Every structure is written in C-alpha cells, then in structure tokens.
Amino acid sequence: MTTLTTRTERTAARSGGAGVEIAACSGDALTLRWPDGARHRYDAIWLRDQAQGEAFRHADNDQRLFDVADLPADLTLTDARIEADGGLTLRFEPEGIEVPFDAAWLRAHAYDVGREGAAEPPAGSPVGWSAAALGARVAWRDYAAVTRDPEALFAWLDDIRRDGVAFLSGVPQEPGMVCRIVSLFGYVRETNYGRLFDVRAEEKPANMAFTGAGLGVHTDNPYRDPVPTLQLLHCLQSDADGGDSLAVDGLEAARRLREAAPEDYALLARWRVPFRYRTATTDLQARRRLIETDEAGRPIAVAYNNRSIAPLDLPAEVTPAYYRAYRRFSEILRDPDLALRFKLAPGDLFVVNNRRVLHGRGGFGAGKRWLQGCYADEDSLLSQLRVMERQRLSGDPR
Ligand SMILES: [Fe+2]
C-alpha cells in the first residue's frame, strides 16, 4: 500500500509543475522560477540526496538506498533541463548520472523560504488556548460515531492534533475500553503501571494519583525517557463529591511566561532538571527541561510535575533564579483563565497530549470515582491522520 500511495503522490505531483523555468544552474545549485514569480534555490548536494527512482530508492518502501557519505565530495550539478511533461532532468558529475525530478515535488519541498528566525511560527504550529477559547469550541465527540464513521474519527483525532486535548462520550462502561480506544489510532505504551491503570482511591497507593487527594496540573511521568506522549482517561464510575478534572495548555502558559518574564522563560528552557519516581521495585530517572523550545526559541513542549521533580542539582549561582522562574511558571499554570474545568461522567473519556497539555483534578470525598487510564504515543496518531488526509485527497473512501 505504501508503494502505491507513494507512486500516486509523485505521479500527481508531476502534473502540478507546469510552467516552471530554470532561472540559474551553477555547479553547486539550481534556481527555479515558478509561474507565480516565486524563485527557489536548491543546493546540488541536497538535490542529489533527494534523487528519486529505483536506482536510489527502494521500489516497495521508498527508502533511500545510499548514505550521504557515498556521494562524491566534489559533486557538481552540470546540467538541468525541463522535459515535455513538465518534469526536470538534472545531471550530476563526476558520477555522470541523470536524475529525474517532479517540479511540483521540488516546489513543495523548497527550503529557502525565510523560515529561520522568522517572527511567524511555521505553518501547522499549534495555537495556544485559554479555558474560555477552548471551552467555546470544544466538542464532545460520540464514541459510536467515531468507531463507525472515518470522518468522525478524523475529527476526533484532529482535535488532539490541534488542541492537545480531546473528548469522547458514550464509551461503554467496561473495564479495558481505554485500550480499545487506543487501537483506533495506535498502540498502548505499557509501563510499570501496567498496560492500563486504575485511578481510584487505594489503601496503599503507589502514586498520589491513586488517592482521593486533589492533584495540581501536571504532565505525567517526566521521570521516564522517552516520556509517554499521550494519556487517555476513561471514567467508569463517578458519584463522588468533587473530583472535577482540569486541563491547561502548557504551550500557552509558556508563551505567557515568555511575554511576561523572558529571563525566567530562558532559564526554564535552558536547564534540564532531574525527575525521579522510586519505589521498592522501580527507580525511574530522567532529566528534562520544563520548557522545550524550537530553534527560534518558541515553546514546543512542557514537562511539569511537582510530585516527581527531584532535588535540583543546578550550579549554585543558578539555583535561586531558577526557583524564581519555576515558581512564576507554576503561578501562571494556576491561573483560572487557563484551566478548562469539566466533570467526567461514566462513559466519558479524555485524551491529552502529555508534552503539551497538563491535567489535574480536584480532591474527592465520599462516593466512588473510578477512572482507567493508559498511555500511548502521538506519532502513530499523527501518522494515521496523514494517511487519512492522503486518502481524502485521492478520493479513496477507505
Ligand atoms: Fe496524571
């Protein structure tokens, strides 16, 4: 299936390149001019590395068959021409090979588009939300629809991609359903807590989550590397007083910190701090930054868990300032303006992107509150969304 899709993609791309012109072809680069006036430069080494065709990529899986070190150090682009079908043929020396390229594919992969240091985030970057903003558009999707209708499943998975949190109602109130939900888009990440775990007050709790205490907003398992990137929680029983759930967009909180106190933001984005979870049979440790940034300094992930942050071991001169920054971030995370608050009823389920959205709960007392949770990963969810998008574009109803 991969092969077919890949070939379809490239065949379709070829027809989209009509009208391209060669603006310049030097030994070390090619510049193309497009009908809309745009010009893009491609380095010879980049082009040679992207060579398509069965001599360079495996016919069945499209994987590259050579390493960059296999390419000549004195690689030169000696000729470029446009063929009758709108495709390009490039000649490379000293190998003496001619390589076909789809013009539209080159347009789609142009890289001299001024992204580095740009004020605007790249296309597709998440947009942060406040509680009011998300509350106004949040959708409780229907379990039956999501399992029956690919469009409904797409909408639910897209909620997670866009907002880092998504909701389902009407999930059968049976133990183990949380893992069945994961199978709609990916794979359960089994941990020392098991394939799934029960979140309810226990007599000898292995984690504060398994008590009736309130939990400040946090991301799960920062002591694990790699950290689980998705968490799902399914409500099986809910007749306790209290126990409301909370969700906070950590990227929005980080953005607010950056705006209000850039020096604090810089400290949290610079220093990795230790996290640990330790019992008689477990000793998980990892170091991570509370705020992870992209090359332009924008936040792309957060890790925050007051229960499992270990004794700080930063340089002595950094520690007081780090604590000020840590406290300030914590204060922002507590801002009611950021906290989406909801009460789960039996059959409700929510999922969070554990590198972006923090979750928490109010304490609960008399009565029963029983959730089942499990971890999964975002990579397979995003993969599934991309495949579904591809099928939509090709008109394939699968
Ligand atoms: Fe948690």
Side-chain angles (χ1 to χ4, degrees), residues 137-203:
R137 62 183 159 84
V138 73
W140 281 86
R141 308 279 180 189
D142 176 54
Y143 167 81
V146 161
T147 52
R148 196 181 51 227
D149 174 10
E151 285 298 317
L153 176 61
F154 184 90
W156 186 61
L157 299 180
D158 198 39
D159 288 346
I160 306 171
R161 175 168 62 178
R162 187 187 59 246
D163 296 323
V165 62
F167 303 87
L168 268 187
S169 57
V171 180
Q173 294 163 45
E174 299 163 17
M177 278 307 297
V178 69
C179 295
R180 298 257 303 269
I181 300 288
V182 172
S183 69
L184 293 171
F185 62 80
Y187 310 93
V188 171
R189 168 96 78 92
E190 195 165 347
T191 70
N192 55 300
Y193 299 118
R195 191 168 153 75
L196 59 74
F197 43 87
D198 291 293
V199 183
R200 57 185 166 188
E202 292 179 356
E203 230 165 76

Coordinates of all heavy atoms in Angstrom, one line a residue, residues 137-203:
R137 N -15.3 26.2 21.9 CA -15.4 25.3 20.7 C -15.2 23.9 20.9 O -15.1 23.1 20.0 CB -14.4 25.9 19.6 CG -12.9 25.8 20.1 CD -12.1 26.4 19.0 NE -10.8 26.8 19.5 CZ -9.7 26.0 19.7 NH1 -9.8 24.8 19.4 NH2 -8.6 26.5 20.1
V138 N -15.0 23.5 22.2 CA -14.6 22.1 22.4 C -15.8 21.2 22.1 O -17.0 21.6 22.3 CB -14.2 21.9 23.9 CG1 -15.4 22.0 24.8 CG2 -13.5 20.6 24.1
A139 N -15.5 20.0 21.5 CA -16.6 19.1 21.1 C -16.5 17.8 21.9 O -15.4 17.3 22.0 CB -16.5 18.9 19.6
W140 N -17.6 17.4 22.5 CA -17.6 16.0 23.0 C -18.0 15.1 21.8 O -19.2 15.2 21.4 CB -18.6 15.9 24.2 CG -18.0 16.5 25.4 CD1 -18.0 17.8 25.9 CD2 -17.3 15.7 26.5 NE1 -17.4 17.9 27.1 CE2 -16.9 16.6 27.5 CE3 -17.0 14.4 26.6 CZ2 -16.2 16.2 28.6 CZ3 -16.3 14.0 27.8 CH2 -15.9 14.9 28.7
R141 N -17.1 14.4 21.3 CA -17.4 13.5 20.2 C -18.1 12.2 20.7 O -17.9 11.9 21.9 CB -16.1 13.1 19.4 CG -15.3 14.3 19.0 CD -15.8 15.0 17.8 NE -14.9 16.2 17.5 CZ -15.2 17.0 16.5 NH1 -16.4 16.9 15.9 NH2 -14.4 18.0 16.2
D142 N -18.8 11.6 19.8 CA -19.6 10.4 20.2 C -18.9 9.1 19.9 O -18.4 8.9 18.7 CB -21.0 10.5 19.4 CG -21.8 9.2 19.7 OD1 -22.0 9.0 20.9 OD2 -22.2 8.6 18.8
Y143 N -18.7 8.3 20.9 CA -18.0 7.1 20.7 C -18.5 6.2 19.5 O -17.7 5.8 18.7 CB -18.0 6.2 22.0 CG -17.6 4.8 21.8 CD1 -16.2 4.5 21.8 CD2 -18.5 3.8 21.6 CE1 -15.8 3.2 21.6 CE2 -18.1 2.5 21.4 CZ -16.7 2.2 21.5 OH -16.3 0.9 21.3
A144 N -19.8 6.0 19.5 CA -20.4 5.2 18.4 C -20.0 5.8 17.0 O -19.7 5.0 16.1 CB -21.9 5.1 18.6
A145 N -20.1 7.1 16.9 CA -19.8 7.7 15.6 C -18.3 7.5 15.2 O -18.0 7.2 14.1 CB -20.2 9.2 15.6
V146 N -17.5 7.7 16.2 CA -16.0 7.6 16.0 C -15.6 6.2 15.6 O -14.7 6.1 14.7 CB -15.3 8.1 17.2 CG1 -13.9 7.7 17.3 CG2 -15.4 9.6 17.3
T147 N -16.3 5.2 16.1 CA -15.9 3.9 15.8 C -16.5 3.4 14.4 O -16.1 2.4 13.8 CB -16.3 2.9 16.9 OG1 -17.7 3.1 17.1 CG2 -15.5 3.1 18.1
R148 N -17.5 4.1 14.0 CA -18.3 3.7 12.8 C -17.9 4.5 11.5 O -17.9 4.0 10.4 CB -19.8 3.9 13.1 CG -20.8 3.2 12.2 CD -22.2 3.5 12.6 NE -22.4 4.9 12.8 CZ -23.0 5.5 13.8 NH1 -23.5 4.8 14.8 NH2 -23.2 6.8 13.9
D149 N -17.6 5.8 11.8 CA -17.5 6.7 10.7 C -16.1 7.3 10.6 O -15.7 8.0 11.5 CB -18.6 7.9 10.9 CG -18.4 9.0 9.9 OD1 -17.7 8.8 8.9 OD2 -19.1 10.0 10.1
P150 N -15.4 7.1 9.5 CA -14.0 7.6 9.4 C -13.9 9.1 9.5 O -12.9 9.6 10.1 CB -13.5 7.1 8.0 CG -14.4 6.0 7.7 CD -15.7 6.2 8.4
E151 N -14.9 9.8 9.1 CA -14.9 11.3 9.2 C -15.0 11.7 10.6 O -14.4 12.7 11.1 CB -16.1 11.9 8.4 CG -15.9 11.9 6.9 CD -14.6 12.7 6.4 OE1 -14.4 13.8 6.9 OE2 -13.9 12.2 5.6
A152 N -15.8 11.0 11.4 CA -15.9 11.3 12.9 C -14.6 11.0 13.6 O -14.2 11.8 14.4 CB -17.1 10.6 13.5
L153 N -14.0 9.9 13.2 CA -12.7 9.5 13.8 C -11.7 10.6 13.5 O -10.9 11.0 14.3 CB -12.3 8.2 13.3 CG -10.9 7.7 13.8 CD1 -10.9 7.6 15.3 CD2 -10.5 6.4 13.2
F154 N -11.7 11.0 12.2 CA -10.8 12.0 11.8 C -10.9 13.3 12.6 O -10.0 13.9 13.1 CB -10.9 12.3 10.3 CG -9.9 13.3 9.7 CD1 -8.7 12.9 9.2 CD2 -10.2 14.7 9.8 CE1 -7.8 13.8 8.7 CE2 -9.2 15.6 9.3 CZ -8.0 15.1 8.8
A155 N -12.2 13.7 12.8 CA -12.5 15.0 13.5 C -11.9 14.8 15.0 O -11.4 15.8 15.5 CB -14.0 15.2 13.5
W156 N -12.1 13.7 15.6 CA -11.7 13.5 17.0 C -10.1 13.5 17.0 O -9.5 14.2 17.9 CB -12.2 12.2 17.5 CG -11.9 12.0 19.0 CD1 -12.3 12.8 20.0 CD2 -11.2 10.9 19.5 NE1 -11.8 12.3 21.2 CE2 -11.1 11.2 20.9 CE3 -10.5 9.8 19.0 CZ2 -10.5 10.3 21.8 CZ3 -9.8 9.0 19.9 CH2 -9.8 9.2 21.3
L157 N -9.5 12.8 16.1 CA -8.0 12.7 16.1 C -7.5 14.1 15.8 O -6.4 14.5 16.4 CB -7.5 11.7 15.1 CG -7.9 10.3 15.3 CD1 -7.3 9.4 14.2 CD2 -7.5 9.8 16.7
D158 N -8.2 14.9 15.0 CA -7.7 16.2 14.6 C -7.8 17.2 15.8 O -7.1 18.1 16.0 CB -8.5 16.7 13.4 CG -7.8 17.9 12.7 OD1 -6.6 17.9 12.6 OD2 -8.5 18.8 12.3
D159 N -8.8 16.9 16.7 CA -8.9 17.7 17.9 C -7.7 17.6 18.7 O -7.1 18.5 19.3 CB -10.1 17.2 18.8 CG -11.5 17.5 18.3 OD1 -11.6 18.4 17.3 OD2 -12.4 16.9 18.8
I160 N -7.2 16.3 18.8 CA -6.0 16.1 19.6 C -4.8 16.8 19.0 O -4.0 17.4 19.7 CB -5.7 14.6 19.8 CG1 -6.9 13.8 20.3 CG2 -4.5 14.3 20.7 CD1 -6.8 12.3 20.2
R161 N -4.7 16.7 17.7 CA -3.5 17.3 17.0 C -3.6 18.8 17.2 O -2.5 19.4 17.4 CB -3.6 16.9 15.5 CG -2.5 17.6 14.7 CD -2.4 17.1 13.3 NE -3.6 17.2 12.5 CZ -3.7 16.8 11.2 NH1 -2.7 16.2 10.6 NH2 -4.8 17.0 10.5
R162 N -4.7 19.4 17.1 CA -4.9 20.9 17.1 C -4.7 21.4 18.5 O -4.0 22.4 18.8 CB -6.2 21.3 16.5 CG -6.4 22.8 16.3 CD -7.8 23.1 15.8 NE -8.8 22.6 16.8 CZ -9.7 21.6 16.5 NH1 -9.7 21.1 15.3 NH2 -10.5 21.2 17.5
D163 N -5.5 20.8 19.5 CA -5.6 21.4 20.8 C -4.8 20.7 21.9 O -4.7 21.1 23.0 CB -7.0 21.4 21.2 CG -7.9 22.3 20.3 OD1 -7.3 23.4 19.9 OD2 -9.0 22.0 20.0
G164 N -4.3 19.5 21.6 CA -3.6 18.7 22.6 C -4.6 18.1 23.6 O -4.1 17.5 24.6
V165 N -5.9 18.1 23.4 CA -6.8 17.5 24.3 C -8.1 17.2 23.4 O -8.4 18.0 22.5 CB -7.1 18.4 25.5 CG1 -7.7 19.8 25.0 CG2 -8.0 17.8 26.5
A166 N -8.8 16.1 23.8 CA -10.0 15.8 23.0 C -10.9 14.9 23.9 O -10.4 14.3 24.9 CB -9.7 15.1 21.7
F167 N -12.2 14.9 23.6 CA -13.2 14.3 24.5 C -14.1 13.4 23.7 O -14.4 13.6 22.6 CB -14.0 15.4 25.1 CG -13.2 16.4 25.9 CD1 -12.7 17.6 25.2 CD2 -13.0 16.3 27.2 CE1 -11.9 18.5 25.9 CE2 -12.2 17.2 27.9 CZ -11.7 18.3 27.3
L168 N -14.5 12.3 24.4 CA -15.4 11.3 23.9 C -16.5 11.1 24.9 O -16.2 11.0 26.1 CB -14.7 10.0 23.6 CG -14.1 9.7 22.2 CD1 -13.7 8.2 22.2 CD2 -15.1 9.9 21.1
S169 N -17.7 10.9 24.5 CA -18.7 10.4 25.4 C -19.4 9.2 24.9 O -19.2 8.8 23.7 CB -19.8 11.5 25.6 OG -20.3 11.9 24.4
G170 N -20.1 8.5 25.7 CA -20.8 7.3 25.3 C -19.9 6.1 25.1 O -20.3 5.1 24.5
V171 N -18.7 6.1 25.7 CA -17.8 4.9 25.7 C -18.4 3.9 26.6 O -18.8 4.2 27.7 CB -16.4 5.3 26.1 CG1 -15.5 4.1 26.1 CG2 -15.8 6.4 25.3
P172 N -18.5 2.6 26.2 CA -19.1 1.6 27.0 C -18.4 1.6 28.4 O -17.2 1.7 28.5 CB -18.9 0.3 26.2 CG -18.8 0.7 24.8 CD -18.2 2.1 24.8
Q173 N -19.2 1.4 29.4 CA -18.6 1.4 30.8 C -18.1 0.1 31.2 O -18.5 -0.5 32.1 CB -19.7 1.9 31.8 CG -20.1 3.4 31.5 CD -21.4 3.7 32.2 OE1 -21.6 3.4 33.3 NE2 -22.3 4.4 31.4
E174 N -17.1 -0.4 30.4 CA -16.5 -1.7 30.7 C -15.0 -1.5 30.9 O -14.4 -0.7 30.2 CB -16.6 -2.6 29.5 CG -18.1 -2.9 29.1 CD -18.1 -3.4 27.6 OE1 -17.1 -3.8 27.1 OE2 -19.2 -3.4 27.1
P175 N -14.5 -2.2 31.9 CA -13.0 -2.1 32.1 C -12.3 -2.5 30.8 O -12.7 -3.4 30.1 CB -12.8 -3.1 33.3 CG -14.1 -3.2 34.0 CD -15.1 -3.0 32.9
G176 N -11.2 -1.8 30.6 CA -10.4 -2.2 29.4 C -10.7 -1.4 28.2 O -9.9 -1.5 27.2
M177 N -11.8 -0.7 28.2 CA -12.2 0.1 27.0 C -11.1 1.1 26.6 O -10.9 1.5 25.4 CB -13.5 0.8 27.2 CG -14.7 -0.1 27.0 SD -14.8 -0.9 25.4 CE -14.8 0.4 24.2
V178 N -10.4 1.6 27.6 CA -9.4 2.7 27.3 C -8.4 2.2 26.3 O -7.9 2.9 25.4 CB -8.8 3.3 28.6 CG1 -7.9 2.3 29.3 CG2 -8.1 4.6 28.4
C179 N -8.0 0.9 26.4 CA -7.0 0.3 25.5 C -7.7 0.1 24.1 O -7.0 0.3 23.1 CB -6.5 -1.0 26.0 SG -5.5 -0.8 27.5
R180 N -9.0 -0.2 24.1 CA -9.6 -0.4 22.8 C -9.7 0.9 22.1 O -9.6 0.9 20.8 CB -11.1 -0.9 23.1 CG -11.2 -2.3 23.7 CD -11.5 -3.4 22.8 NE -12.7 -3.2 22.0 CZ -13.9 -3.6 22.4 NH1 -14.0 -4.3 23.6 NH2 -15.0 -3.4 21.7
I181 N -9.8 2.0 22.8 CA -9.9 3.3 22.1 C -8.5 3.6 21.5 O -8.4 4.1 20.4 CB -10.2 4.4 23.1 CG1 -11.6 4.2 23.8 CG2 -10.1 5.8 22.5 CD1 -12.7 4.4 22.9
V182 N -7.4 3.2 22.2 CA -6.1 3.5 21.6 C -6.0 2.7 20.3 O -5.3 3.2 19.3 CB -5.0 3.0 22.6 CG1 -3.6 3.1 21.9 CG2 -5.0 3.9 23.8
S183 N -6.6 1.6 20.2 CA -6.4 0.8 18.9 C -7.1 1.5 17.7 O -6.9 1.1 16.6 CB -7.0 -0.6 19.1 OG -8.4 -0.6 19.2
L184 N -7.9 2.5 18.0 CA -8.4 3.3 16.9 C -7.4 4.1 16.1 O -7.5 4.5 15.0 CB -9.5 4.3 17.4 CG -10.8 3.7 17.9 CD1 -11.6 4.7 18.6 CD2 -11.6 3.0 16.8
F185 N -6.2 4.4 16.8 CA -5.2 5.2 16.1 C -3.8 4.7 16.4 O -2.8 5.3 15.8 CB -5.3 6.6 16.6 CG -5.1 6.8 18.1 CD1 -3.9 6.9 18.6 CD2 -6.2 7.0 18.9 CE1 -3.7 7.1 20.0 CE2 -6.0 7.1 20.3 CZ -4.8 7.2 20.8
G186 N -3.6 3.7 17.3 CA -2.2 3.4 17.6 C -2.0 2.3 18.5 O -2.8 1.3 18.5
Y187 N -1.1 2.4 19.5 CA -0.6 1.3 20.3 C -0.5 1.8 21.8 O 0.0 2.9 22.0 CB 0.7 0.8 19.8 CG 0.7 0.5 18.3 CD1 1.1 1.5 17.4 CD2 0.2 -0.6 17.8 CE1 1.0 1.3 16.1 CE2 0.1 -0.9 16.5 CZ 0.5 0.1 15.6 OH 0.4 -0.1 14.2
V188 N -0.9 0.9 22.7 CA -0.7 1.2 24.1 C 0.7 1.2 24.5 O 1.5 0.3 24.0 CB -1.5 0.1 24.9 CG1 -1.2 0.3 26.4 CG2 -3.0 0.3 24.7
R189 N 1.1 2.1 25.3 CA 2.5 2.1 25.8 C 2.4 1.5 27.2 O 2.0 2.2 28.2 CB 3.1 3.6 25.9 CG 4.4 3.7 26.7 CD 5.6 3.6 25.8 NE 5.8 4.9 25.2 CZ 6.6 5.9 25.7 NH1 7.2 5.7 26.9 NH2 6.7 7.0 25.1
E190 N 2.9 0.3 27.3 CA 2.9 -0.4 28.6 C 4.0 0.2 29.5 O 5.1 0.4 29.0 CB 3.0 -1.9 28.4 CG 2.7 -2.7 29.6 CD 2.5 -4.2 29.3 OE1 2.4 -4.5 28.1 OE2 2.5 -5.0 30.2
T191 N 3.8 0.4 30.8 CA 4.8 0.9 31.7 C 4.8 0.0 33.0 O 4.0 -0.9 33.1 CB 4.5 2.3 32.1 OG1 3.4 2.4 32.9 CG2 4.3 3.2 30.8
N192 N 5.5 0.5 34.0 CA 5.5 -0.2 35.3 C 4.1 -0.1 35.9 O 3.8 -0.8 36.9 CB 6.5 0.4 36.2 CG 6.4 1.9 36.4 OD1 6.4 2.7 35.4 ND2 6.1 2.4 37.6
Y193 N 3.3 0.8 35.5 CA 1.9 0.9 36.0 C 1.0 -0.1 35.3 O -0.2 -0.2 35.6 CB 1.3 2.3 35.8 CG 2.1 3.3 36.6 CD1 2.7 4.4 35.9 CD2 2.2 3.3 38.0 CE1 3.4 5.3 36.6 CE2 3.0 4.2 38.6 CZ 3.6 5.2 37.9 OH 4.3 6.2 38.6
G194 N 1.5 -0.9 34.3 CA 0.8 -1.9 33.6 C 0.3 -1.4 32.2 O 0.7 -0.3 31.8
R195 N -0.4 -2.2 31.5 CA -0.9 -1.8 30.2 C -2.0 -0.7 30.4 O -2.1 0.2 29.6 CB -1.6 -3.1 29.6 CG -1.9 -2.9 28.1 CD -2.2 -4.3 27.5 NE -3.1 -4.2 26.4 CZ -2.7 -3.7 25.2 NH1 -1.5 -3.4 25.0 NH2 -3.6 -3.6 24.2
L196 N -2.8 -0.9 31.4 CA -3.7 0.2 31.9 C -3.6 0.3 33.4 O -3.0 -0.6 34.0 CB -5.1 0.0 31.4 CG -5.9 -1.3 31.8 CD1 -6.3 -1.2 33.2 CD2 -7.1 -1.4 30.9
F197 N -4.1 1.4 33.9 CA -4.1 1.5 35.4 C -5.4 2.1 35.9 O -6.1 2.8 35.1 CB -2.9 2.4 35.8 CG -2.7 3.6 35.0 CD1 -3.4 4.8 35.3 CD2 -1.9 3.6 33.9 CE1 -3.3 5.9 34.5 CE2 -1.7 4.7 33.1 CZ -2.4 5.9 33.4
D198 N -5.7 1.7 37.1 CA -7.0 2.2 37.7 C -6.7 3.4 38.5 O -5.7 3.4 39.3 CB -7.6 1.1 38.6 CG -8.1 -0.1 37.8 OD1 -9.1 0.1 37.1 OD2 -7.5 -1.1 37.9
V199 N -7.4 4.5 38.3 CA -7.2 5.7 39.0 C -8.4 5.8 40.0 O -9.5 6.2 39.6 CB -7.2 7.0 38.1 CG1 -6.9 8.2 38.9 CG2 -6.1 6.8 37.0
R200 N -8.2 5.4 41.2 CA -9.2 5.5 42.3 C -8.5 5.4 43.6 O -7.3 5.1 43.6 CB -10.2 4.3 42.1 CG -9.6 3.0 42.2 CD -10.6 1.9 41.9 NE -10.0 0.6 41.6 CZ -10.6 -0.5 41.2 NH1 -11.9 -0.5 41.0 NH2 -9.9 -1.6 41.0
A201 N -9.2 5.8 44.6 CA -8.5 5.8 45.9 C -8.2 4.4 46.4 O -9.1 3.5 46.3 CB -9.5 6.5 46.9
E202 N -6.9 4.2 46.7 CA -6.5 2.8 47.1 C -5.9 2.9 48.5 O -5.5 4.0 49.0 CB -5.4 2.3 46.1 CG -6.0 2.0 44.7 CD -4.9 1.5 43.8 OE1 -3.7 1.5 44.2 OE2 -5.3 1.2 42.6
E203 N -5.9 1.8 49.1 CA -5.4 1.7 50.5 C -3.9 2.0 50.6 O -3.5 2.8 51.5 CB -5.7 0.4 51.1 CG -6.4 0.5 52.5 CD -7.1 -0.8 52.9 OE1 -6.3 -1.7 53.3 OE2 -8.3 -1.0 52.8

